[in-house]
């Protein structure tokens, strides 16, 4: 992440209703999103697997299929 001092909770331009950003602000947010994804990709994959298995088991139960 390029700017370790950037905090989206305190940055004025990160407000909910702000719809006008500079190129630099967009780059900061994109870098933060990329960093967060990189750091948490395994947890995201695990959560998706759990959700898929839960929904699949429910669907098979509803269809009367023994998994």
């Amino acid at each position: 992440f390029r700017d370790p001092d950037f905090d989206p909770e305190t940055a004025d331009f990160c407000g909910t209703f702000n719809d006008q950003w500079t190129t630099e602000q967009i780059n900061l947010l994109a870098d933060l999103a990329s960093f967060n994804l990189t750091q948490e990709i395994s947890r995201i994959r695990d959560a998706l697997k759990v959700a898929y298995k839960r929904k699949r088991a429910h669907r098979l139960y509803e269809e009367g299929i023994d998994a």
Side-chain angles (χ1 to χ4, degrees), residues 7-59:
D7 183 357
E9 290 186 14
T10 59
D12 291 336
F13 73 92
C14 289
T16 303
F17 300 107
N18 181 24
D19 61 355
Q20 295 181 349
W21 298 310
T22 66
T23 301
E24 181 181 334
Q25 292 167 336
I26 291 169
N27 289 337
L28 281 171
L29 291 173
D31 285 348
L32 180 60
S34 178
F35 175 77
N36 287 338
L37 181 63
T38 302
Q39 294 297 308
E40 301 298 332
I41 193 69
S42 64
R43 287 178 55 186
I44 293 167
R45 286 182 179 145
D46 290 345
L48 288 171
K49 286 177 189 175
V50 168
Y52 168 78
K53 288 178 181 179
R54 187 182 312 130
K55 290 184 95 171
R56 182 177 184 270
H58 179 72
R59 179 181 52 83

